[in-house]
mmCIF file of all heavy atoms in Angstrom:
data_model
loop_
_atom_site.group_PDB
_atom_site.id
_atom_site.type_symbol
_atom_site.label_atom_id
_atom_site.label_comp_id
_atom_site.label_asym_id
_atom_site.label_seq_id
_atom_site.Cartn_x
_atom_site.Cartn_y
_atom_site.Cartn_z
ATOM 1 N N LYS A 56 -3.570 -14.264 3.266
ATOM 2 C CA LYS A 56 -4.314 -15.433 3.776
ATOM 3 C C LYS A 56 -5.515 -15.029 4.528
ATOM 4 O O LYS A 56 -6.573 -15.656 4.401
ATOM 5 C CB LYS A 56 -3.474 -16.252 4.614
ATOM 6 C CG LYS A 56 -4.004 -17.587 5.092
ATOM 7 C CD LYS A 56 -4.352 -18.399 3.824
ATOM 8 C CE LYS A 56 -4.596 -19.883 4.315
ATOM 9 N NZ LYS A 56 -5.727 -20.033 5.277
ATOM 10 N N ALA A 57 -5.451 -13.899 5.318
ATOM 11 C CA ALA A 57 -6.674 -13.408 5.990
ATOM 12 C C ALA A 57 -7.690 -12.982 5.004
ATOM 13 O O ALA A 57 -8.915 -13.275 5.196
ATOM 14 C CB ALA A 57 -6.275 -12.264 6.899
ATOM 15 N N LEU A 58 -7.344 -12.323 3.910
ATOM 16 C CA LEU A 58 -8.348 -11.908 2.916
ATOM 17 C C LEU A 58 -8.862 -13.111 2.142
ATOM 18 O O LEU A 58 -10.045 -13.119 1.840
ATOM 19 C CB LEU A 58 -7.633 -10.887 1.982
ATOM 20 C CG LEU A 58 -7.329 -9.475 2.570
ATOM 21 C CD1 LEU A 58 -6.383 -8.712 1.721
ATOM 22 C CD2 LEU A 58 -8.615 -8.723 2.856
ATOM 23 N N TYR A 59 -7.970 -14.043 1.873
ATOM 24 C CA TYR A 59 -8.528 -15.203 1.128
ATOM 25 C C TYR A 59 -9.493 -16.006 1.980
ATOM 26 O O TYR A 59 -10.532 -16.429 1.487
ATOM 27 C CB TYR A 59 -7.269 -16.167 0.891
ATOM 28 C CG TYR A 59 -7.577 -17.383 0.139
ATOM 29 C CD1 TYR A 59 -7.662 -17.376 -1.292
ATOM 30 C CD2 TYR A 59 -7.828 -18.583 0.791
ATOM 31 C CE1 TYR A 59 -8.038 -18.565 -1.940
ATOM 32 C CE2 TYR A 59 -8.087 -19.763 0.140
ATOM 33 C CZ TYR A 59 -8.179 -19.751 -1.292
ATOM 34 O OH TYR A 59 -8.543 -20.865 -1.996
ATOM 35 N N ASP A 60 -9.226 -16.127 3.307
ATOM 36 C CA ASP A 60 -10.140 -16.808 4.208
ATOM 37 C C ASP A 60 -11.515 -16.011 4.299
ATOM 38 O O ASP A 60 -12.566 -16.640 4.637
ATOM 39 C CB ASP A 60 -9.518 -16.932 5.586
ATOM 40 C CG ASP A 60 -8.332 -18.054 5.632
ATOM 41 O OD1 ASP A 60 -8.238 -18.745 4.663
ATOM 42 O OD2 ASP A 60 -7.635 -17.929 6.604
ATOM 43 N N ALA A 61 -11.488 -14.706 3.994
ATOM 44 C CA ALA A 61 -12.645 -13.925 4.065
ATOM 45 C C ALA A 61 -13.348 -13.964 2.716
ATOM 46 O O ALA A 61 -14.580 -13.418 2.688
ATOM 47 C CB ALA A 61 -12.322 -12.461 4.454
ATOM 48 N N GLY A 62 -12.875 -14.596 1.756
ATOM 49 C CA GLY A 62 -13.516 -14.729 0.455
ATOM 50 C C GLY A 62 -12.924 -14.053 -0.692
ATOM 51 O O GLY A 62 -13.325 -14.219 -1.804
ATOM 52 N N CYS A 63 -11.783 -13.256 -0.531
ATOM 53 C CA CYS A 63 -11.143 -12.660 -1.609
ATOM 54 C C CYS A 63 -10.409 -13.798 -2.465
ATOM 55 O O CYS A 63 -9.708 -14.685 -1.926
ATOM 56 C CB CYS A 63 -10.033 -11.624 -1.111
ATOM 57 S SG CYS A 63 -9.213 -10.749 -2.434
ATOM 58 N N ARG A 64 -10.619 -13.706 -3.817
ATOM 59 C CA ARG A 64 -9.872 -14.691 -4.735
ATOM 60 C C ARG A 64 -9.081 -14.222 -5.653
ATOM 61 O O ARG A 64 -8.389 -15.023 -6.457
ATOM 62 C CB ARG A 64 -11.093 -15.510 -5.350
ATOM 63 C CG ARG A 64 -11.902 -16.366 -4.421
ATOM 64 C CD ARG A 64 -10.963 -17.526 -3.818
ATOM 65 N NE ARG A 64 -11.584 -18.381 -2.876
ATOM 66 C CZ ARG A 64 -11.595 -18.265 -1.558
ATOM 67 N NH1 ARG A 64 -10.957 -17.275 -1.033
ATOM 68 N NH2 ARG A 64 -12.124 -19.175 -0.815
ATOM 69 N N THR A 65 -8.893 -12.896 -5.781
ATOM 70 C CA THR A 65 -7.985 -12.280 -6.801
ATOM 71 C C THR A 65 -7.043 -11.330 -6.183
ATOM 72 O O THR A 65 -7.425 -10.464 -5.401
ATOM 73 C CB THR A 65 -8.736 -11.659 -7.940
ATOM 74 O OG1 THR A 65 -9.649 -12.583 -8.552
ATOM 75 C CG2 THR A 65 -7.793 -11.087 -9.055
ATOM 76 N N PHE A 66 -5.663 -11.561 -6.363
ATOM 77 C CA PHE A 66 -4.692 -10.732 -5.771
ATOM 78 C C PHE A 66 -3.749 -10.099 -6.822
ATOM 79 O O PHE A 66 -3.463 -10.720 -7.782
ATOM 80 C CB PHE A 66 -3.892 -11.616 -4.762
ATOM 81 C CG PHE A 66 -4.698 -11.996 -3.639
ATOM 82 C CD1 PHE A 66 -5.441 -13.325 -3.817
ATOM 83 C CD2 PHE A 66 -4.863 -11.498 -2.474
ATOM 84 C CE1 PHE A 66 -6.201 -13.849 -2.818
ATOM 85 C CE2 PHE A 66 -5.694 -12.003 -1.409
ATOM 86 C CZ PHE A 66 -6.370 -13.167 -1.626
ATOM 87 N N PHE A 67 -3.294 -8.954 -6.536
ATOM 88 C CA PHE A 67 -2.243 -8.285 -7.402
ATOM 89 C C PHE A 67 -1.004 -7.987 -6.542
ATOM 90 O O PHE A 67 -1.086 -7.449 -5.481
ATOM 91 C CB PHE A 67 -2.770 -6.990 -7.952
ATOM 92 C CG PHE A 67 -3.969 -7.198 -8.932
ATOM 93 C CD1 PHE A 67 -5.237 -7.474 -8.577
ATOM 94 C CD2 PHE A 67 -3.678 -7.197 -10.336
ATOM 95 C CE1 PHE A 67 -6.306 -7.663 -9.378
ATOM 96 C CE2 PHE A 67 -4.732 -7.366 -11.157
ATOM 97 C CZ PHE A 67 -6.037 -7.646 -10.778
ATOM 98 N N VAL A 68 0.150 -8.350 -7.121
ATOM 99 C CA VAL A 68 1.448 -7.918 -6.530
ATOM 100 C C VAL A 68 2.190 -7.157 -7.738
ATOM 101 O O VAL A 68 1.733 -7.166 -8.853
ATOM 102 C CB VAL A 68 2.254 -9.143 -6.133
ATOM 103 C CG1 VAL A 68 1.579 -9.813 -4.935
ATOM 104 C CG2 VAL A 68 2.437 -10.138 -7.332
ATOM 105 N N ALA A 69 3.299 -6.648 -7.281
ATOM 106 C CA ALA A 69 4.150 -5.852 -8.352
ATOM 107 C C ALA A 69 5.069 -6.780 -8.965
ATOM 108 O O ALA A 69 5.210 -6.730 -10.262
ATOM 109 C CB ALA A 69 4.822 -4.703 -7.665
#
Side-chain angles (χ1 to χ4, degrees):
K56 187 60 165 60
L58 290 168
Y59 182 85
D60 290 344
C63 185
R64 288 295 178 268
T65 303
F66 297 86
F67 290 83
V68 295

